[in-house]
Amino acid sequence: ECQEAWYRWRYEVAQVDVEEMEQRLAQRYTAAPGFILTKGEDDTWESRQPGPIGTLQEISITERNAGGNAAELVIVGSEGTYAVRTEYNIRYILNNGSYSIVRRDGTEVASKTLLPSAFFMVTTGKEDGNVIGYTVVGGGYGHGIGMSQNGARNMAQAGLTEEEILTFFYEGSRIETIY
């Protein structure tokens, strides 16, 4: 098992604050309107100012990228259904700013804006068919693209050279001296 603290982490929202989630949706819509979509009456998705969620009925990851990271989150409410696209937006929407991240080693880290990564699973806690809370269990820290700082450090500690480490993370690359 990896000893890195961020190898696995958990974010548990005991009580969903729907108003906070609506505010975060509105903020991300203002910043990136093409990635916050509202489901219309004819079941088509459109980029428009999100309205109320109402009673929260479901939260689920409906699409993942090739690496397994969450690429689309759908929020179903009694008054509106919304799709949140891109890792950054999803990490922002699911972090309500009030709970801490619990890392693999048991340490807690305050988390005001983003979940540590988009490599996670979401499970919901329901009462009378409605979502009252959710738990996000994930792995890693960062955007998951390029070189892992922790992975590179561990490889160096295991005796690999700079060139071996770089070519592992950037397949097909080579190191040359340029004059």
Side-chain angles (χ1 to χ4, degrees), residues 114-137:
L114 292 177
L115 292 177
S117 77
F119 189 71
F120 59 71
M121 293 184 356
V122 180
T123 54
T124 56
K126 292 187 173 184
E127 211 170 80
D128 299 325
N130 297 313
V131 176
I132 57 166
Y134 59 89
T135 302
V136 181
V137 177

CSV table of all heavy atoms in Angstrom, one decimal, residues 114-137:
chain,number,residue,atom,x,y,z
A,114,LEU,N,-11.9,23.3,-3.6
A,114,LEU,CA,-11.9,22.2,-4.6
A,114,LEU,C,-11.6,20.9,-3.8
A,114,LEU,O,-10.8,20.8,-2.9
A,114,LEU,CB,-10.7,22.4,-5.6
A,114,LEU,CG,-10.8,23.4,-6.6
A,114,LEU,CD1,-9.6,23.4,-7.5
A,114,LEU,CD2,-12.1,23.3,-7.5
A,115,LEU,N,-12.2,19.8,-4.3
A,115,LEU,CA,-11.8,18.5,-3.9
A,115,LEU,C,-10.4,18.2,-4.4
A,115,LEU,O,-10.0,18.8,-5.4
A,115,LEU,CB,-12.8,17.4,-4.4
A,115,LEU,CG,-14.2,17.5,-3.9
A,115,LEU,CD1,-15.1,16.4,-4.5
A,115,LEU,CD2,-14.2,17.3,-2.4
A,116,PRO,N,-9.6,17.4,-3.8
A,116,PRO,CA,-8.2,17.2,-4.1
A,116,PRO,C,-8.0,16.7,-5.6
A,116,PRO,O,-7.0,17.1,-6.2
A,116,PRO,CB,-7.7,16.1,-3.2
A,116,PRO,CG,-8.6,16.2,-2.0
A,116,PRO,CD,-10.0,16.6,-2.6
A,117,SER,N,-8.9,15.9,-6.1
A,117,SER,CA,-8.7,15.5,-7.5
A,117,SER,C,-10.1,15.1,-8.0
A,117,SER,O,-11.1,15.1,-7.3
A,117,SER,CB,-7.8,14.3,-7.6
A,117,SER,OG,-8.4,13.1,-7.2
A,118,ALA,N,-10.2,14.7,-9.3
A,118,ALA,CA,-11.4,14.3,-9.9
A,118,ALA,C,-11.5,12.7,-10.0
A,118,ALA,O,-12.3,12.2,-10.7
A,118,ALA,CB,-11.7,14.9,-11.3
A,119,PHE,N,-10.5,12.1,-9.4
A,119,PHE,CA,-10.4,10.6,-9.5
A,119,PHE,C,-11.1,10.1,-8.2
A,119,PHE,O,-10.5,10.0,-7.1
A,119,PHE,CB,-9.0,10.1,-9.5
A,119,PHE,CG,-8.8,8.7,-9.7
A,119,PHE,CD1,-9.1,8.1,-11.0
A,119,PHE,CD2,-8.4,7.8,-8.7
A,119,PHE,CE1,-9.0,6.8,-11.2
A,119,PHE,CE2,-8.3,6.5,-8.9
A,119,PHE,CZ,-8.5,5.9,-10.2
A,120,PHE,N,-12.4,10.0,-8.3
A,120,PHE,CA,-13.2,9.6,-7.1
A,120,PHE,C,-14.5,8.9,-7.5
A,120,PHE,O,-14.9,8.9,-8.7
A,120,PHE,CB,-13.5,10.8,-6.3
A,120,PHE,CG,-14.3,11.9,-6.9
A,120,PHE,CD1,-15.6,11.8,-7.3
A,120,PHE,CD2,-13.6,13.1,-7.2
A,120,PHE,CE1,-16.3,12.8,-7.9
A,120,PHE,CE2,-14.3,14.1,-7.9
A,120,PHE,CZ,-15.7,14.0,-8.2
A,121,MET,N,-15.2,8.4,-6.5
A,121,MET,CA,-16.5,7.9,-6.6
A,121,MET,C,-17.4,8.6,-5.6
A,121,MET,O,-17.0,9.0,-4.5
A,121,MET,CB,-16.6,6.4,-6.3
A,121,MET,CG,-15.8,5.6,-7.3
A,121,MET,SD,-15.8,3.8,-7.1
A,121,MET,CE,-16.7,3.4,-5.6
A,122,VAL,N,-18.7,8.8,-5.9
A,122,VAL,CA,-19.7,9.5,-5.1
A,122,VAL,C,-20.7,8.5,-4.7
A,122,VAL,O,-21.3,7.8,-5.5
A,122,VAL,CB,-20.3,10.6,-5.8
A,122,VAL,CG1,-21.3,11.3,-4.9
A,122,VAL,CG2,-19.3,11.6,-6.3
A,123,THR,N,-21.0,8.4,-3.4
A,123,THR,CA,-22.2,7.6,-2.9
A,123,THR,C,-23.1,8.6,-2.1
A,123,THR,O,-22.6,9.5,-1.5
A,123,THR,CB,-21.8,6.5,-2.0
A,123,THR,OG1,-21.0,6.9,-0.9
A,123,THR,CG2,-21.0,5.4,-2.8
A,124,THR,N,-24.4,8.4,-2.2
A,124,THR,CA,-25.3,9.3,-1.6
A,124,THR,C,-26.0,8.6,-0.4
A,124,THR,O,-26.2,7.4,-0.4
A,124,THR,CB,-26.4,9.8,-2.6
A,124,THR,OG1,-27.1,8.6,-3.1
A,124,THR,CG2,-25.8,10.6,-3.7
A,125,GLY,N,-26.3,9.4,0.6
A,125,GLY,CA,-27.1,8.9,1.7
A,125,GLY,C,-28.5,9.5,1.5
A,125,GLY,O,-28.7,10.7,1.2
A,126,LYS,N,-29.6,8.6,1.5
A,126,LYS,CA,-30.9,9.1,1.2
A,126,LYS,C,-31.9,8.9,2.4
A,126,LYS,O,-31.7,8.0,3.2
A,126,LYS,CB,-31.4,8.4,0.0
A,126,LYS,CG,-30.7,8.8,-1.3
A,126,LYS,CD,-31.3,8.2,-2.5
A,126,LYS,CE,-30.7,8.8,-3.8
A,126,LYS,NZ,-31.4,8.3,-5.0
A,127,GLU,N,-32.9,9.7,2.4
A,127,GLU,CA,-34.0,9.6,3.3
A,127,GLU,C,-35.3,9.9,2.5
A,127,GLU,O,-35.3,10.9,1.8
A,127,GLU,CB,-33.8,10.6,4.4
A,127,GLU,CG,-34.3,10.2,5.8
A,127,GLU,CD,-33.9,11.2,6.9
A,127,GLU,OE1,-34.6,12.3,7.0
A,127,GLU,OE2,-33.0,10.9,7.6
A,128,ASP,N,-36.2,9.0,2.6
A,128,ASP,CA,-37.4,9.1,1.8
A,128,ASP,C,-37.2,9.3,0.3
A,128,ASP,O,-37.9,10.1,-0.4
A,128,ASP,CB,-38.3,10.2,2.4
A,128,ASP,CG,-38.7,10.0,3.8
A,128,ASP,OD1,-39.0,8.8,4.2
A,128,ASP,OD2,-38.8,10.9,4.6
A,129,GLY,N,-36.1,8.7,-0.2
A,129,GLY,CA,-35.8,8.8,-1.6
A,129,GLY,C,-35.0,10.0,-2.0
A,129,GLY,O,-34.7,10.2,-3.2
A,130,ASN,N,-34.8,10.9,-1.1
A,130,ASN,CA,-34.1,12.2,-1.4
A,130,ASN,C,-32.7,12.2,-0.8
A,130,ASN,O,-32.5,11.6,0.3
A,130,ASN,CB,-34.9,13.4,-0.9
A,130,ASN,CG,-36.2,13.5,-1.6
A,130,ASN,OD1,-36.3,13.4,-2.8
A,130,ASN,ND2,-37.3,13.7,-0.8
A,131,VAL,N,-31.7,12.8,-1.5
A,131,VAL,CA,-30.4,12.9,-1.0
A,131,VAL,C,-30.3,13.8,0.2
A,131,VAL,O,-30.7,15.0,0.1
A,131,VAL,CB,-29.4,13.3,-2.1
A,131,VAL,CG1,-28.0,13.5,-1.6
A,131,VAL,CG2,-29.5,12.4,-3.3
A,132,ILE,N,-29.7,13.3,1.3
A,132,ILE,CA,-29.5,14.2,2.4
A,132,ILE,C,-28.0,14.5,2.6
A,132,ILE,O,-27.7,15.5,3.3
A,132,ILE,CB,-30.2,13.6,3.7
A,132,ILE,CG1,-29.6,12.2,4.0
A,132,ILE,CG2,-31.7,13.7,3.6
A,132,ILE,CD1,-29.9,11.8,5.4
A,133,GLY,N,-27.2,13.6,2.1
A,133,GLY,CA,-25.7,13.7,2.3
A,133,GLY,C,-25.1,12.9,1.2
A,133,GLY,O,-25.7,12.1,0.5
A,134,TYR,N,-23.7,13.1,1.1
A,134,TYR,CA,-23.0,12.3,0.2
A,134,TYR,C,-21.5,12.1,0.6
A,134,TYR,O,-21.0,12.9,1.4
A,134,TYR,CB,-23.0,12.9,-1.3
A,134,TYR,CG,-22.5,14.3,-1.4
A,134,TYR,CD1,-21.1,14.5,-1.7
A,134,TYR,CD2,-23.3,15.4,-1.3
A,134,TYR,CE1,-20.7,15.8,-1.8
A,134,TYR,CE2,-22.9,16.7,-1.5
A,134,TYR,CZ,-21.5,16.9,-1.7
A,134,TYR,OH,-21.1,18.2,-1.9
A,135,THR,N,-20.9,11.1,0.1
A,135,THR,CA,-19.5,10.8,0.5
A,135,THR,C,-18.7,10.7,-0.8
A,135,THR,O,-19.2,10.0,-1.8
A,135,THR,CB,-19.4,9.5,1.3
A,135,THR,OG1,-20.2,9.6,2.5
A,135,THR,CG2,-18.0,9.2,1.6
A,136,VAL,N,-17.6,11.3,-0.9
A,136,VAL,CA,-16.7,11.2,-2.0
A,136,VAL,C,-15.5,10.5,-1.6
A,136,VAL,O,-14.8,11.0,-0.6
A,136,VAL,CB,-16.4,12.6,-2.6
A,136,VAL,CG1,-15.5,12.5,-3.8
A,136,VAL,CG2,-17.6,13.4,-2.9
A,137,VAL,N,-15.1,9.4,-2.2
A,137,VAL,CA,-13.9,8.7,-1.8
A,137,VAL,C,-13.0,8.7,-3.1
A,137,VAL,O,-13.4,8.3,-4.2
A,137,VAL,CB,-14.2,7.2,-1.4
A,137,VAL,CG1,-12.9,6.5,-1.2
A,137,VAL,CG2,-15.1,7.2,-0.2
